[in-house]
Amino acid sequence: QSVLTQPPSVSAAPGQKVTISCSGSSSNINNYVSWYQQLPGTAPKLLIYDNNKRPSGIPDRFSGSKSGTSATLGITGLQTGDEADYYCGTWDNSLSAGVFGGGTKLTVL
Amino acid sequence: EVQLVESGGGLVQPGGSLKLSCAASGLTFSGSGVHWVRQASGKGLEWVGRIRSKTNSYATAYAASVKGRFTISRDDSKNTAYLQMNSLKTEDTAVYYCTDLPKGSSGLTSWGQGTLVTVSS
């Protein structure tokens, strides 16, 4: 059972928009949240850090936001190449440990 | 950006030990924190532990599942971090990734390709 809760799967058609939620508590989501994309058979890749900042090279189709004890990853203009597992992550002050969500599998229909 | 390469994975018996290395190239390694993350086959990411930079006193932290068994260290002169794993259990079987947390960022920025650790008799 992950400290951060994500939906197991989401799906949408090419060109559409999708959002992935990450629900936690005040001991973790109050810290900066980051998001990672893991394509099949590859290492995770940083998509979003500090809640809503994109590293260089990450297209603006990817966005991050946070409200209360939840964070959200948004992806617009979906492409088949976006099919991957997506994870949220942050630091948990109560556990004094890093934590990840259980991951969300994105299918682009 | 830092490039990271893990090594040292392999097959070990339950109760055994293994030491993973994470070699970094790039000028920012010494100022970055180093985290270890693992992923069992078909499962999600699990944070294992981290070591901060010299500026932050090389402070370490560990997941409850590995605390007391795993130790993270680093040698900035060699641009290398280590994960010493003792008293290994079958549930420690996973691909282990090292990743860096650059100064001033909250995101794990660079990731290695991962090294597979299999704990089995």
Side-chain angles (χ1 to χ4, degrees):
Chain A
Q1 197 80 348
S2 301
V3 172
L4 304 177
T5 301
Q6 297 181 233
S9 63
V10 295
S11 62
Q16 297 300 303
K17 174 183 177 178
V18 70
T19 60
I20 298 173
S21 61
C22 173
S23 178
S25 67
S26 58
S27 68
N28 43 62
I29 295 290
N30 277 358
N31 296 315
Y32 282 127
V33 175
S34 51
W35 288 90
Y36 304 88
Q37 176 193 59
Q38 187 175 33
L39 297 170
T42 69
K45 175 183 177 181
L46 179 65
L47 280 182
I48 298 289
Y49 68 100
D50 291 0
N51 300 331
N52 55 18
K53 297 178 181 177
R54 283 175 288 105
S56 60
I58 301 299
D60 59 7
R61 300 188 298 108
F62 295 90
S63 64
S65 63
K66 194 170 75 172
S67 179
T69 56
S70 289
T72 301
L73 173 70
I75 311 173
T76 59
L78 278 171
Q79 302 173 2
T80 55
D82 296 331
E83 286 202 335
D85 294 321
Y86 292 83
Y87 297 89
C88 58
T90 187
W91 185 261
D92 189 291
N93 295 332
S94 295
L95 298 174
S96 294
V99 289
F100 287 103
T104 298
K105 182 176 182 61
L106 168 64
T107 301
V108 181
L109 303 169
Chain B
E1 191 168 304
V2 176
Q3 284 75 48
L4 303 171
V5 177
E6 303 94 339
S7 61
L11 175 64
V12 61
Q13 291 188 337
S17 298
L18 208 58
K19 187 172 185 177
L20 306 183
S21 298
C22 172
S25 59
L27 298 177
T28 61
F29 176 77
S30 62
S32 298
V34 176
H35 291 235
W36 288 88
V37 175
R38 68 185 181 183
Q39 186 171 36
S41 179
K43 303 296 185 182
L45 302 178
E46 180 186 11
W47 184 84
V48 173
R50 64 96 163 120
I51 185 166
R52 301 186 75 179
S53 65
K54 180 179 181 180
T55 302
N56 292 290
S57 305
Y58 297 125
T60 56
Y62 301 92
S65 58
V66 306
K67 201 168 188 178
R69 301 187 298 121
F70 289 12
T71 302
I72 299 173
S73 60
R74 63 191 294 167
D75 184 340
D76 289 342
S77 68
K78 296 181 179 179
N79 274 2
T80 301
Y82 305 94
L83 176 64
Q84 176 68 48
M85 304 183 293
N86 299 330
S87 302
L88 281 162
K89 305 175 181 180
T90 55
E91 53 262 42
D92 295 319
T93 295
V95 173
Y96 285 72
Y97 297 100
C98 68
T99 175
D100 82 315
L101 186 69
K103 181 180 179 181
S105 172
S106 69
L108 299 173
T109 301
S110 300
W111 293 68
Q113 83 289 352
T115 187
L116 176 62
V117 172
T118 303
V119 185
S120 174
S121 54

